[in-house]
């Protein structure tokens, strides 16, 4: 039972009084607005309009007739025009290598094209198990447009005291290139000065990565878009942003750390081994549509959607001169093994690909944790995947079985359209990159220390009429 | 009181353009004057200016081609078909009507 209480309230009585008002004087006045001046971006003086109306009256019927005819016409079905010389097959344009590196059994761990598309550089190192921290290695560059190109003699060679794991050419300076080392350092070289190429280095400080750096990318500075910073990811779970400052030093400007407890819990993941709190990052790709949005590939096999604008502090116990933040916003459903490569579509804001040791490619949409599609490309590992810069439905993958596989989702969603055999003895292809200036070129590096530049057939370089629509359909 | 001396913008112009723009597959519609300056458009500014300038020149060239071959002839309509869509130009002494359509493949 409940107690009932009765209460009441009442306002005090309102005082009222009667009053009247009347104007004593009045004056007559008139008000009229000025006719508004019509504001239109292309200004038309009013007397043109009747002539414009007459013109439209004259042509409307004809235009509607043509629009209708066009809509129903089959006259151009299957009609294609070839403006460029047709390249029917994929051919190997160059086979490049540096004999001293190949003699030491070094692998090509990474390739990169420079901003003009005429220079291809490769990093020599080792991707198999072992301690490669003191292994002397090389960064080599070949200028493919130069006459008298010697495929066994690079135009520039830089000796590096530790294995180089990844490379990225500067987006504006044709000779600047950044590299991540097995030791955790990040270095930037100027390949046009072979005698003294080193521009900046992180050195081995408290801020430096404590594990091999698997990928470096250049990002425009937030306030000065013509200047760039270097972002590095490593298996120590850190994603770090570096700025070149005086005296050749790369200084840490921002940092993120991936900690198991802070991963978004939207996807159920396997419990990590006892005591491990870091999530090793192995690959990174930035969205072409939102410059602060990026995807990380992890050792745990699950991609992470992250943002540069994330503010939550990371629960990392690593020392750092800059506060580390937790960047992850969404955890995607995992592969059956570590991811080695991720790539964001240059044509669709939500689509990205990931490839890993389970031999599968996953196609994800940023909007959902489960992949849209999963394709098995290899019975061994997949080391790299890249979207084509010109064909929205095409991507290339590098496999541990020694081939470069080109997929055209318009032709088949099950098997590759072309499978290019790069190595004769099935040793793995570790890396590949499309040339964004000369879009028919694709460079791939393998475990034999060779970089092959492939010229793709025209079907891989010219966009078909309905590709963007088909891509939208795929993402739906 | 409404200003009586000012002619109302004839509804015919807007109605006609709306009819054309809402036709199946039409991506954009614009009217360009004899100097190549756009006076009506359904597309953004930079795209419009680009189309207007380039197509005005091309239309003049097409017209002089037709008249050079036969001075008694004249250009009535210009169509450019590209991989991605079709551009239609209806020419006139004072104006050009440009319509961009994505035809059914």
């Amino acid at each position: 039972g409940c107690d009932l209480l009765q209460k009441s309230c009442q306002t005090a009585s309102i005082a009222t009084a009667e009053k009247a008002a009347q104007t004593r004087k009045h004056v007559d006045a008139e008000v009229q607005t000025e006719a508004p001046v019509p504001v239109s971006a292309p200004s038309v003086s009013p007397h043109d309009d009747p002539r414009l109306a007459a013109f439209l009256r004259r042509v409307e019927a004809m235009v509607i007739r043509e629009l209708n005819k066009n809509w129903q016409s089959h006259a151009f079905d299957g009609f294609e025009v070839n403006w460029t010389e047709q390249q029917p097959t994929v051919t190997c344009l160059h086979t490049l290598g540096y004999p001293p590196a190949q003699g030491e059994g070094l692998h090509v761990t990474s390739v990169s094209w420079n901003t003009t598309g005429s220079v291809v550089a490769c990093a020599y190192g080792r991707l198999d198990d072992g301690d490669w921290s003191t292994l002397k290695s090389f960064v080599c560059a070949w200028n493919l447009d130069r006459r008298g190109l010697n495929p066994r003699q690079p135009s520039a060679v830089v000796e590096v005291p530790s294995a180089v794991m990844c490379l990225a050419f500067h987006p504006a300076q044709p000779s600047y290139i950044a590299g991540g080392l097995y030791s955790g350092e990040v270095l930037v070289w100027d390949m046009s000065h072979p005698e003294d190429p080193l521009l900046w280095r992180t050195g081995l400080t408290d801020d430096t990565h404590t594990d091999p750096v698997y990928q470096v990318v250049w990002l425009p500075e937030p306030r000065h878009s013509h200047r760039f910073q270097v972002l590095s990811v490593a298996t120590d779970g850190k994603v770090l942003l570096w700025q070149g400052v005086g005296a050749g030093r790369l200084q840490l400007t921002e940092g993120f750390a991936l900690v198991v407890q802070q991963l978004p819990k939207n996807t159920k993941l396997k419990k990590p081994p006892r005591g491990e709190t870091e999530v090793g990052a192995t690959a990174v790709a930035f969205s072409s549509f939102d410059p602060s949005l990026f995807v990380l590939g992890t050792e745990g096999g699950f991609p992470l959607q992250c943002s540069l604008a994330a503010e939550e502090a990371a629960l990392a116990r690593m020392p750092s001169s800059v506060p580390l933040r937790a960047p992850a916003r969404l955890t995607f459903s995992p592969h059956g093994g570590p991811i080695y490569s991720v790539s964001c579509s240059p044509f669709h804001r939500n689509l990205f690909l990931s490839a890993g040791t389970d031999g599968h490619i996953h196609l994800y949409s940023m909007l959902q944790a489960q992949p849209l599609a999963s394709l098995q490309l290899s019975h061994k590992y997949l080391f790299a995947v890249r979207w084509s810069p010109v064909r929205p439905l095409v991507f290339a993958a590098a496999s541990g079985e020694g081939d470069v596989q080109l997929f055209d989702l318009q032709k088949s969603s099950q098997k590759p359209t072309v499978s290019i055999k790069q190595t004769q003895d099935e040793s793995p292809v570790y890396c590949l990159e499309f040339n964004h200036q000369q879009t028919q070129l694709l460079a791939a590096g393998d475990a034999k220390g060779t970089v092959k530049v492939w010229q793709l057939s025209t079907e891989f370089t010219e966009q078909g009429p309905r590709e963007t629509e088909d891509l939208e359909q795929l993402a739906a | 009181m409404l200003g009586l001396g000012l002619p109302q913008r004839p509804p015919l112009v807007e109605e006609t353009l709306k009819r054309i723009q809402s036709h199946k597959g039409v991506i954009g519609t614009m009217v360009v004057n004899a100097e190549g300056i756009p006076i009506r458009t359904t597309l953004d500014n930079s795209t419009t200016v680009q189309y207007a300038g380039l197509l005005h020149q091309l239309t003049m060239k097409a017209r002089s081609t037709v008249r050079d071959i036969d001075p008694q002839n004249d250009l009535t309509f210009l169509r450019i078909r590209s991989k991605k869509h079709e551009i239609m130009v209806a020419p006139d002494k004072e104006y050009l009507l440009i319509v961009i359509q994505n035809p059914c493949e």
Side-chain angles (χ1 to χ4, degrees):
Chain A
C2 51
D3 290 347
L4 276 177
L5 277 178
Q6 260 197 318
K7 284 260 178 182
S8 63
C9 62
Q10 183 185 17
T11 53
S13 49
I14 304 167
T16 58
E18 292 252 333
K19 281 273 183 186
Q22 184 184 20
T23 52
R24 304 254 299 277
K25 282 198 282 195
H26 64 264
V27 175
D28 264 305
E30 279 181 25
V31 171
Q32 181 180 19
T33 53
E34 293 261 325
V37 179
V39 175
S40 52
S43 63
V44 181
S45 52
H47 73 262
D48 273 353
D49 273 353
R51 302 224 290 267
L52 179 58
F55 160 68
L56 286 174
R57 212 180 304 128
R58 272 199 303 279
V59 297
E60 184 191 359
M62 168 170 62
V63 170
I64 296 280
R65 204 168 47 234
E66 294 297 329
L67 286 171
N68 275 331
K69 270 202 297 191
N70 227 7
W71 190 254
Q72 293 154 2
S73 161
H74 291 279
F76 287 96
D77 279 3
F79 177 70
E80 270 168 39
V81 172
N82 299 321
W83 279 101
T84 52
E85 208 182 277
Q86 294 300 292
Q87 187 57 236
T89 51
V90 176
T91 49
C92 182
L93 264 190
H94 303 283
T95 303
L96 311 166
Y98 186 50
Q102 290 167 311
E104 310 238 350
L106 293 178
H107 305 159
V108 176
T109 56
S110 179
V111 285
S112 180
W113 292 95
N114 79 339
T115 174
T116 63
S118 49
V119 177
V120 63
C122 77
Y124 279 103
R126 291 290 288 261
L127 280 178
D128 44 355
D129 289 328
D131 180 9
W132 309 118
S133 50
T134 52
L135 179 73
K136 194 177 67 166
S137 79
F138 307 91
V139 172
C140 303
W142 286 263
N143 187 333
L144 300 179
D145 288 348
R146 204 177 275 175
R147 282 167 56 178
L149 167 75
N150 183 344
R152 314 210 70 68
Q153 198 176 359
S155 350
V157 179
V158 174
E159 257 187 48
V160 186
S162 172
V164 182
M165 308 294 291
C166 53
L167 281 184
F169 261 110
H170 193 280
Q173 288 282 2
S175 59
Y176 287 13
I177 187 165
L181 304 193
Y182 187 90
S183 60
E185 274 198 82
V186 175
L187 274 59
V188 180
W189 299 278
D190 181 353
M191 301 301 273
S192 62
H193 292 114
E195 340 74 44
D196 183 18
L198 190 59
L199 281 173
W200 295 292
R201 66 188 308 166
T202 55
L204 289 165
T205 66
D206 276 344
D207 288 335
T208 318
H209 288 287
T210 49
D211 274 357
V213 176
Y214 271 89
Q215 197 162 351
V216 283
V217 292
W218 290 90
L219 291 181
E221 274 183 47
R223 274 169 291 278
H224 306 102
S225 57
H226 57 278
R227 294 217 296 253
F228 293 87
Q229 303 178 81
V230 180
L231 180 119
S232 58
V233 306
T235 42
D236 61 359
K238 289 199 281 194
V239 175
L240 303 176
L241 257 179
W242 306 92
Q243 178 69 57
V245 296
R249 216 164 58 82
L250 277 176
Q251 187 173 57
L252 186 62
T253 55
E254 280 180 61
F256 302 88
L258 296 172
V259 175
V260 167
Q261 294 88 332
Q262 287 180 301
L263 292 177
K265 302 226 175 357
N266 62 292
T267 303
K268 212 148 172 247
L269 296 172
K270 278 204 301 256
K271 269 193 146 68
R274 282 268 297 275
E276 245 182 56
T277 52
E278 297 118 27
V279 178
T282 51
V284 63
F286 273 78
S287 162
S288 332
F289 294 84
D290 178 352
S292 66
L293 183 68
F294 62 100
V295 175
L296 284 175
T298 61
E299 277 181 315
F302 46 89
L304 289 171
Q305 187 191 118
C306 304
S307 169
L308 291 176
E311 290 181 352
E312 188 191 344
L315 299 172
R317 277 168 267 124
M318 308 167 233
S320 172
S321 62
V322 159
L324 297 174
R325 287 137 51 200
R329 285 207 174 145
L330 187 69
T331 308
F332 293 97
S333 190
H335 281 252
I339 293 178
Y340 272 141
S341 182
V342 286
S343 178
C344 288
S345 169
F347 292 95
H348 196 290
R349 64 181 322 119
N350 289 335
L351 294 179
F352 70 90
L353 290 166
S354 63
T357 58
D358 61 354
H360 281 71
I361 294 270
H362 284 192
L363 173 68
Y364 289 94
S365 162
M366 296 281 190
L367 305 173
Q368 66 177 61
Q370 290 294 326
L372 294 174
S374 171
L375 302 161
Q376 174 158 32
L377 263 61
S378 171
H379 295 286
K380 291 198 183 165
Y381 297 177
L382 286 175
F383 288 98
V385 66
R386 289 285 182 266
W387 284 104
S388 160
V390 288
R391 290 274 325 270
L393 293 163
V394 169
F395 63 87
S399 87
E401 285 160 332
D403 36 44
V404 173
Q405 298 194 8
L406 283 163
F407 248 84
D408 184 345
L409 293 170
Q410 195 169 51
K411 293 235 170 79
S412 161
S413 53
Q414 306 301 326
K415 56 184 185 63
T417 314
V418 175
S419 187
I420 311 167
K421 208 169 154 64
Q422 169 137 341
T423 55
Q424 297 312 311
D425 59 355
E426 293 199 1
S427 30
V429 178
Y430 283 132
C431 49
L432 51 77
E433 289 292 345
F434 282 96
N435 184 330
H436 287 242
Q437 260 54 35
Q438 299 183 54
T439 53
Q440 77 280 18
L441 298 182
L442 172 66
D446 57 41
K448 309 296 271 185
T450 312
V451 173
K452 290 202 177 174
V453 177
W454 298 96
Q455 182 171 48
L456 301 176
S457 43
T458 330
E459 56 174 338
F460 287 109
T461 52
E462 292 188 353
Q463 232 184 74
R466 294 201 65 82
E467 276 203 56
T468 349
E469 285 88 357
D470 290 342
L471 189 68
E472 292 281 337
Q473 285 236 332
L474 204 63
Chain B
M1 294 287 283
L2 287 173
L4 290 172
L6 191 72
Q8 294 281 299
R9 186 174 285 179
L12 177 63
V13 170
E14 309 308 322
E15 293 289 307
T16 311
L17 291 175
K18 207 166 22 165
R19 263 200 299 275
I20 295 174
Q21 176 65 25
S22 57
H23 199 278
K24 288 186 281 262
V26 172
I27 305 170
T29 310
M30 65 188 86
V31 181
V32 174
N33 73 3
E35 280 93 52
I37 298 172
I39 57 177
R40 292 282 196 286
T41 179
T42 61
L43 298 173
D44 64 274
N45 239 1
S46 50
T47 314
T48 302
V49 165
Q50 207 178 17
Y51 270 100
L54 293 169
L55 287 169
H56 181 256
Q57 288 180 42
L58 186 64
T59 310
M60 295 302 112
K61 184 71 183 172
R63 181 166 186 243
S64 67
T65 305
V66 169
R67 286 165 65 90
D68 282 357
I69 294 173
D70 177 359
Q72 303 301 312
N73 204 353
D74 210 336
L75 180 72
T76 53
F77 202 78
L78 179 64
R79 294 169 69 157
I80 304 167
R81 194 172 184 102
S82 69
K83 265 202 303 210
K84 298 187 183 176
H85 44 241
E86 178 147 336
I87 305 169
M88 276 166 269
V89 182
D92 182 86
K93 189 172 81 154
E94 291 171 300
Y95 304 100
L96 288 180
L97 172 66
I98 301 170
V99 183
I100 305 150
Q101 183 188 35
N102 190 0
C104 180
E105 285 288 340

